[in-house]
Amino acid sequence: MTQGQWLAFSAFREEYRALCRDWERYAPLLLPLQAAAAAADTPPYPLETPLVYNRAYDELCSGDDIALIVIGDNPGKEEQLARNRRYLVGQSGRVAEGFFRRNPELHVDFRKNALIMNKTPVHTAKTAHLRYLLRNGAPEVQALIAESQRRMAVLAATLHQRLVECRADGSPAPQLWLVGYAELKGKGLFLGYRDALKAAYGAEQGFCPAWEHVFVYQHFSMNRFLVDLNAFRAAHPELSLPASLAALGLQHRREIFLA
């Protein structure tokens, strides 16, 4: 990272760590809801961390490069385990890691060059379980889920803009991949995140240059990302993989954000 990028990342990390520490006060309200939501359709698992800060951030140093920001949904079963407390380390993360490993032309090591975020740090065994928390939780829980989405969107957009602005001369602009297409439209769980992210890139002022490096994709879970990408590539065999990713991500971005 350049010095400017490192300072931007460090500021993001400290603010997010402080937010997670503050939000931990909701743990007594979250734990019984998370357990009840999982009981209906999820095998028992150790519920250890109701709200997950990504410890991978603490391992980054100024000598590392961030080529990509990947934004998933929320921490799942493996992410919240005390021995992990990292984002996208479950099956979806392994799919993503394998994709980049098989495609070295993208120049991204998923565990070294991708900064992984979520739309909220509130854990549920399945993303859909957030609806249970929203329906059955106290007003404080509902407010937490909404506030965390807004704050995470602003943090992601602010960091991405600074990474783009402060990159070394001639180096490619870091991209931001928003994965989890379905919950960003209709009555999806993350409409608040979607709207806050768009506003944070300056929608009312015509957007900032970093917006051109924001892309939207299907989630890595259940191979939806790969199925969608492969279908697009079959329809556009003339495009390289990087060009296909850019075109598909732009197509979905316009569908979701109308921009």
Side-chain angles (χ1 to χ4, degrees):
M1 283 181 268
T2 66
Q3 183 179 20
Q5 288 178 324
W6 172 246
L7 291 174
F9 167 73
S10 298
F12 153 77
R13 178 174 58 188
E14 292 310 308
E15 184 172 355
Y16 186 45
R17 181 188 287 118
L19 282 172
C20 287
R21 286 174 175 167
D22 179 45
W23 290 333
E24 283 173 0
R25 71 183 189 271
Y26 296 105
L29 295 175
L30 290 170
L31 281 166
L33 289 167
Q34 291 162 330
D41 61 4
T42 305
Y45 69 98
L47 209 172
E48 298 175 346
T49 316
L51 192 144
V52 184
Y53 167 79
N54 187 359
R55 294 194 304 196
Y57 299 158
D58 298 333
E59 298 171 2
L60 264 68
C61 64
S62 59
D64 295 320
D65 290 322
I66 300 174
L68 177 65
I69 296 174
V70 176
I71 301 178
D73 288 338
N74 70 316
K77 293 184 294 183
E78 294 189 54
E79 285 77 8
Q80 62 83 43
L81 292 175
R83 68 175 185 270
N84 292 330
R85 291 180 184 168
R86 299 165 188 269
Y87 298 161
L88 279 177
V89 295
Q91 182 59 36
S92 297
R94 289 187 284 273
V95 170
E97 187 174 359
F99 170 75
F100 286 103
R101 186 173 58 250
R102 292 190 303 273
N103 295 286
E105 68 269 35
L106 298 177
H107 306 291
V108 174
D109 183 323
F110 190 67
R111 297 303 176 191
K112 292 183 179 180
N113 309 124
L115 185 72
I116 304 170
M117 300 185 189
N118 274 323
K119 301 177 184 78
T120 175
V122 175
H123 157 72
T124 50
K126 299 178 181 179
T127 297
H129 292 171
L130 284 171
R131 289 191 173 87
Y132 182 94
L133 274 62
L134 289 167
R135 287 195 307 267
N136 298 281
E140 294 91 338
V141 171
Q142 299 166 6
L144 167 64
I145 294 172
E147 179 192 8
S148 64
Q149 289 189 43
R150 289 192 297 269
R151 297 296 292 271
M152 288 308 302
V154 172
L155 283 173
T158 301
L159 175 59
H160 183 223
Q161 291 173 59
R162 292 298 294 158
L163 291 178
V164 171
E165 292 165 1
C166 297
R167 71 188 188 275
D169 291 342
S171 64
Q175 297 182 358
L176 184 145
W177 286 18
L178 192 59
V179 299
Y181 176 90
E183 295 295 347
L184 292 166
K185 60 181 181 177
K187 297 182 178 180
L189 284 161
F190 299 121
L191 303 187
Y193 187 98
R194 178 198 67 188
D195 295 342
L197 189 76
K198 184 177 181 180
Y201 278 95
E204 294 182 358
Q205 294 79 36
F207 294 105
C208 66
W211 180 251
E212 294 308 312
H213 306 285
V214 174
F215 301 100
V216 179
Y217 300 101
Q218 296 279 9
H219 204 281
F220 294 113
S221 64
M222 301 174 65
N223 277 332
R224 283 174 289 188
F225 171 85
L226 292 174
V227 169
D228 191 35
L229 176 60
N230 289 339
F232 184 87
R233 297 200 73 190
H236 302 276
E238 74 282 4
L239 296 180
S240 66
L241 175 59
S244 294
L245 284 166
L248 179 61
L250 177 59
Q251 174 184 305
H252 287 329
R253 190 188 79 197
R254 288 172 172 166
E255 292 165 356
I256 294 299
F257 293 100
L258 305 179

